[in-house]
Amino acid sequence: MIAGPGFWDVEIERAGWSRVLQPGPAAFPEIQGRRTVWGRNCYVRGRERLVIEWSDQVTISAVLLNGGPFPVDTAEDLAAAIGQDHRPDW
């Protein structure tokens, strides 16, 4: 458990990410065909993409950074995902 949607909003925004309220498969191809989850938030920062999925109100089930999985077992892992300067693979 790292915390549910909304808990990390300030940190995500402070790191330069903007939430995409209606993400489509053209902008976020990695969400196409993914299983149904309790919640999914999508963000962009320049050409970078961040997807955070929750299995319930407080449990992050997956983080995808620029289309690939980013393991998050701790709050520090999530902070690294949203704060580091990751470059897209394209």
Side-chain angles (χ1 to χ4, degrees):
M1 175 176 77
I2 297 176
F7 184 81
W8 285 85
D9 287 351
V10 171
E11 289 82 1
I12 291 169
E13 185 178 310
R14 194 174 291 146
W17 295 99
S18 298
R19 185 158 176 210
V20 178
L21 295 178
Q22 294 186 345
F28 289 89
E30 60 268 52
I31 65 173
Q32 190 169 336
R34 289 192 60 83
R35 61 185 169 76
T36 301
V37 292
W38 181 87
R40 177 181 290 129
N41 289 352
C42 298
Y43 305 88
V44 294
R45 178 173 67 185
R47 294 181 60 191
E48 296 180 286
R49 301 177 319 279
L50 174 68
V51 177
I52 302 176
E53 297 179 340
W54 286 268
S55 57
D56 58 38
Q57 292 178 339
V58 295
T59 308
I60 291 178
S61 59
V63 173
L64 305 173
L65 185 60
N66 297 320
F70 193 99
V72 275
D73 296 320
T74 66
E76 289 79 14
D77 294 339
L78 183 55
I82 65 174
Q84 290 183 346
D85 185 21
H86 295 278
R87 296 287 175 227
D89 294 331
W90 61 85

